[in-house]
Amino acid sequence: MKYVSLSLLSVALLAGCNATAPTIGNDSARTAATGSAGGANAENANKQLERCDRTLGTLAVVEDTNAAWYAQMQSYQLRSTTPVLRMLVQQSNCFVVVERGQAMRNMMQERDLNRSGELRGGSNMGQGQMVAADFTMNPTITFSQKGTGGLGGFLGGFGGGIGAAIAGSIKFNDASTMLVLVDNRSGVQLAAAEGSSRNTDFNLFGGLFGGGAAGGAGGFTNTPEGKIVVAAFIDSYNQLVKAVKNYRAQSVEGGLGTGGHLGVQGGSTPASQKLDKEPQKQQPKPAQPASQAPAAQTPKTQSSAQPQPKAQTPTQPQKKN
């Protein structure tokens, strides 16, 4: 028994000195956003990703780096949503992605070098070549939380302690995201979409046999929160694509930005002027409280007594001539 223990210890020490070789294209390391994109072609893209038969315009992806969710996202080891979203957009063929992020500095640097005369002749870095962004897509992480719930209330009633152990060994991870599409020329919001994702982490052996009995099996599978967020963004983008495929422009009587259909008294918009021309309706007087209401007058009733006849004054007798 002593020699067996020493042999196992030796194997463990030797294994601790070595590491497995990195694998290329490991499935367990992938997010839901897979594959690549080149022009209008996509390779190994997620089959659940929505695609468009025709491109709808040019698009820039811009995230609010000053928002609270962006700072919190750093703890998920997901530094920026922009690269993932740009690949998804190009794979879908719904928009042509244009650069409006950090790489813009390098683009402008090349133009500065051209103006300074440092670039070779024929570099063709003249003005009027950049493509305008028709639309801007703004991503937001609404929330992302690990261990949002389990199945304790459901499985606890089945199998007694075994059901409770299984229930305590299942945890959910949730994420919710938003995408907003804005027209750059008018500033009008064209579409908005919410997406969500959930996965389950298991600790089945650890819950059934305890942390020591199962050895290495006694630990939750730890899904990176970044994977949940990426899956939620795919759901958001799919919902956004479905919305723009069935897009119908909103219209306002009198035109967008001319004051709208709701006017105010004394305003200068067409709706306000129309309101001023209409006869003002008298507002009904508010009802008085019961305590302030005048007392009701009781109708006068005739007395049952007979009216007294008027007293007649005696007449003087007339004298005869």
Side-chain angles (χ1 to χ4, degrees):
M1 188 68 180
K2 180 179 178 181
Y3 294 107
V4 173
S5 300
L6 290 174
S7 299
L8 292 174
L9 179 61
S10 301
V11 172
L13 291 175
L14 289 174
C17 298
N18 298 320
T20 61
T23 59
I24 299 175
N26 189 285
D27 291 336
S28 62
R30 288 192 177 98
T31 66
T34 60
S36 59
N41 296 326
E43 296 292 338
N44 300 321
N46 192 313
K47 295 181 180 180
Q48 296 182 349
L49 181 66
E50 290 283 334
R51 288 185 57 84
C52 296
D53 296 331
R54 63 187 183 100
T55 304
L56 304 175
T58 56
L59 175 76
V61 181
V62 179
E63 56 190 1
D64 185 3
T65 57
N66 295 321
W69 67 266
Y70 188 85
Q72 186 180 6
M73 187 180 63
Q74 309 306 310
S75 62
Y76 307 153
Q77 302 302 315
L78 183 64
R79 299 303 178 188
S80 174
T81 63
T82 302
V84 173
L85 290 172
R86 289 174 56 154
M87 186 185 73
L88 293 175
V89 171
Q90 187 167 356
Q91 286 179 334
S92 70
N93 193 44
C94 296
F95 303 94
V96 174
V97 180
V98 295
E99 175 59 48
R100 291 297 184 270
Q102 294 296 324
M104 277 290 293
R105 296 180 180 179
N106 299 87
M107 296 169 58
M108 300 311 298
Q109 183 182 37
E110 293 302 312
R111 283 155 176 77
D112 291 340
L113 289 171
N114 182 64
R115 283 191 291 268
S116 67
E118 293 295 333
L119 296 184
R120 293 182 177 184
S123 296
N124 196 21
M125 292 292 295
Q127 294 182 347
Q129 298 189 73
M130 292 183 62
V131 176
D134 298 322
F135 312 110
T136 294
M137 188 171 70
N138 180 250
T140 302
I141 298 177
T142 309
F143 76 88
S144 179
Q145 184 66 44
K146 292 180 70 67
T148 55
L151 298 178
F154 178 72
L155 293 179
F158 297 92
I162 296 178
I166 296 176
S169 303
I170 299 176
K171 290 184 178 181
F172 300 129
N173 306 316
D174 294 335
S176 177
T177 56
M178 287 287 300
L179 289 175
V180 175
L181 185 69
V182 177
D183 176 64
N184 285 342
R185 292 174 177 83
S186 64
V188 173
Q189 177 175 305
L190 301 176
E194 183 269 348
S196 59
S197 177
R198 163 176 281 194
N199 92 305
T200 307
D201 280 338
F202 296 95
N203 184 23
L204 187 57
F205 292 106
L208 287 175
F209 305 109
F220 277 98
T221 56
N222 189 18
T223 303
E225 291 185 60
K227 289 189 175 183
I228 316 300
V229 171
V230 169
F233 269 124
I234 292 179
D235 187 36
S236 295
Y237 185 69
N238 283 344
Q239 301 302 322
L240 184 76
V241 170
K242 292 176 183 178
V244 296
K245 282 183 177 179
N246 300 309
Y247 177 76
R248 183 171 62 90
Q250 294 176 287
S251 60
V252 177
E253 183 179 352
L256 294 179
T258 61
H261 196 59
L262 303 176
V264 295
Q265 188 175 17
S268 59
T269 64
S272 299
Q273 295 174 357
K274 181 180 178 181
L275 179 67
D276 291 336
K277 293 179 181 179
E278 294 178 353
Q280 298 295 322
K281 296 181 180 179
Q282 293 184 352
Q283 299 294 331
K285 295 182 179 180
Q288 293 182 346
S291 59
Q292 299 180 2
Q297 297 181 356
T298 57
K300 295 181 179 180
T301 58
Q302 293 183 354
S303 175
S304 59
Q306 296 293 330
Q308 298 294 330
K310 295 182 179 180
Q312 295 181 359
T313 56
T315 58
Q316 297 293 333
Q318 295 181 356
K319 294 182 178 181
K320 294 183 180 180
N321 295 330

